[in-house]
Amino acid sequence: MREPSAAEFESLARAVLARLPEVFARALEGVVLKVEEFATDEQLDSLGIADPYDLTGLYEGVALTERTQWDSEGLPPVITLFRQPLLAEMEETGVGFAELVRHVVIHEAGHHFGLSDDDMHALEDSVGD
């Protein structure tokens, strides 16, 4: 079976974001979505992660719940999916491409909103397949 390309990951991730409830979709309009093969050494170091296969997605930015009026300046928040670790997780767990991308995108988007893990699971359930 052929591995999904970076473009296919991005397309599916954008489709997941498009299916979020309107209140969430509006708040994510300024968030950049990227797909990279692996996290950078700087990203891994900032999280204390040694193995690049241990990081499938990352939210970089200030959560909406923690923003101040001065946080509107500078770089936009970014959600990055890491293709190779996601491919490895798909192979190891048997979780399907769409299900895994949905899970990681919603988890990282949840960080943008300052959601708890329980809130993220409820949001993921609301998006469905």
Side-chain angles (χ1 to χ4, degrees):
M1 183 173 128
R2 185 183 64 77
E3 293 179 344
S5 69
E8 289 169 310
F9 271 94
E10 184 173 342
S11 177
L12 182 56
R14 290 192 186 285
V16 168
L17 293 175
R19 287 196 308 269
L20 289 173
E22 179 64 24
V23 65
F24 291 108
R26 270 196 313 268
L28 283 165
E29 286 176 356
V31 176
V32 175
L33 179 65
K34 299 188 321 185
V35 177
E36 301 290 346
E37 291 300 302
F38 287 101
T40 65
D41 288 341
E42 293 80 18
Q43 289 168 321
L44 294 169
D45 290 347
S46 74
L47 297 168
I49 296 174
D51 185 346
Y53 281 96
D54 288 342
L55 187 60
T56 56
L58 180 64
Y59 172 78
E60 295 173 290
V62 179
L64 294 177
T65 56
E66 297 174 15
R67 285 201 179 160
T68 67
Q69 66 188 41
W70 295 280
D71 288 323
S72 61
E73 302 294 320
L75 299 174
V78 177
I79 292 173
T80 307
L81 301 180
F82 300 110
R83 184 173 169 269
Q84 292 300 325
L86 284 163
L87 292 171
E89 186 168 330
M90 286 168 43
E91 187 173 317
E92 289 170 17
T93 64
V95 173
F97 174 57
E99 183 180 349
L100 184 59
V101 170
R102 183 180 71 242
H103 172 75
V104 173
V105 167
I106 290 174
H107 183 87
E108 299 312 327
H111 288 302
H112 179 66
F113 298 108
L115 298 178
S116 69
D117 283 342
D118 287 342
D119 291 337
M120 288 183 213
H121 289 299
L123 181 58
E124 186 174 355
D125 290 344
S126 77
V127 172
D129 293 322

